[in-house]
Amino acid sequence: MKIAIIGSGGREHAICEKIYESKKVAEIFCIPGNGGTDKISKNIDINIKNFEEIKTFLLKEKIDMVVIGPEEPLVNGIVDYLNKNKIKVFGPDQFCSQLEGSKIFTKKICKSENIPTAEFKIFDNKEAAFGYINNKNFPVVVKADGLAGGKGVYICNNVLEAKEAIVEIFDGKFGIAKELLVEDFLEGEEMSFFILYDNTSYKIFNTAQDHKRVFEGDMGKNTGGMGAYTPSRLNEKILQEKIINKIILPTLNYLKINGGKYIGFLYAGLMIKNDEPFLIEYNVRMGDPECQTILPLLNNDFVEILENCIKGNLNKIQLDWKDKKSICIVLTSKGYPENYKKNILIEDLEKIKLDKDCYLFHAGTKFNNNKFYSSGGRVLNFVCLDNDLNLARKKCLNLIQKLNWKYGHHRNDIGFKVIQNS
Ligand code: AMP
Ligand code: GLY
């Protein structure tokens, strides 16, 4: 088979590696890919916003299946567009992708289907929103409706902060904003919960916990993710059943009844309080860096899973997981998520020896003249599996130390809530 992957992050390199392991695959293309995917597939330099150019390439190469990594093309309707051109795609259609593309769309489903989530109100002007927050207990959470690269959520501790957030959103910080969302702050512990879905049946695709803040102790600015571990410590059967029955199934039923077609991963961001799950948000893709921690635990042929999912035959698949834990530590460019340098040589990257159960997934890298250079904020993902999460973390940290990239930053405390003595 010939398979194409859309995207250029650590998630897409992890997907590419897993596809590369499959006996069913003859050739892999990554659009546009990164320095890591360059080694095991062909990187194709097409802008992922340009659906027509992507389609032309896929048809010319007679690609059998395309996997969409990031949210933006999904929200912009790449699946509908490619399906119309008879190309097989692993990803949800544009209607379903509103789950991530519009937080208000999701909240309305929560309301109509009785899905547990934070109390909320939708506003279409500043004054009404100001009036509402004047009478609220703090913190409150103010959210832009659409995609905002993880930056459209404001946890506000007082009226002033909330007003600032409301003004920024309505003034267009994340594009034209007709409406915004104000919701109650949920206390508890977060959990990322993944399923695979073929529009009829679903399979739980593990759980994880990511660390979004740039500094240790979960301090500093929000980032795309500084690391993650799997499984989440909250992953137990009764809670799982509640998540499926109270949150996932009502959502999937709603989408189906309303004409959506959902093929792919669904990622529920949850808050767990007193053993009860609340939906914070949906993403219509795998998480990054959660994907990098979860996929190495999978024993199945990943291509077989993708194929069966597209055919609506997911029920024929029995997922088979390694009985281990996994941790991912992200090495970023110093200064990320604010200002950082690009195009810095990463010396000796190919000299890093990976023991069994250790993986190195590239994100913001490119391969030029036989050398690797940084090309983004999140640069490399170090992933190690072990029965003991502490040992897995030590292995990751050893690898980072060996690389000793002077321009890099990472957190030493990924998993601190579950790893003792950290
Ligand atoms: P989101 O982009 O919706 O995932 O929000 C980013 C982060 O903001 C989440 O991972 C949570 O840590 C936090 N967050 C969002 N909504 C709430 C809420 N209602 N209560 C508490 N924390 C929240
Ligand atoms: N790890 C957070 C995300 O992928 O959105």
Side-chain angles (χ1 to χ4, degrees), residues 103 141 143 153 155 183-186 190 212 280-281:
K103 292 188 191 302
V141 187
K143 295 185 175 181
V153 173
I155 314 278
E183 63 181 49
D184 290 356
F185 181 79
L186 291 170
E190 283 188 64
K212 290 202 175 74
I280 298 177
E281 60 155 7

Side-chain angles (χ1 to χ4, degrees), residues 209-216 218-229 288-290 292 327-337 377-382 400 408-415:
Q209 173 68 63
D210 74 339
H211 291 266
K212 290 202 175 74
R213 303 297 189 104
V214 66
F215 297 125
E216 283 167 20
D218 286 343
M219 306 293 272
K221 294 234 168 202
N222 255 333
T223 70
M226 296 298 295
Y229 58 91
D288 182 338
E290 291 96 325
Q292 294 89 303
I327 197 158
C328 169
I329 302 182
V330 176
L331 185 65
T332 71
S333 298
K334 245 181 213 158
Y336 170 82
R378 289 192 291 170
V379 180
L380 293 166
N381 302 266
F382 294 83
I400 293 174
H409 161 72
H410 70 277
R411 279 178 58 169
N412 289 296
D413 70 339
I414 300 301

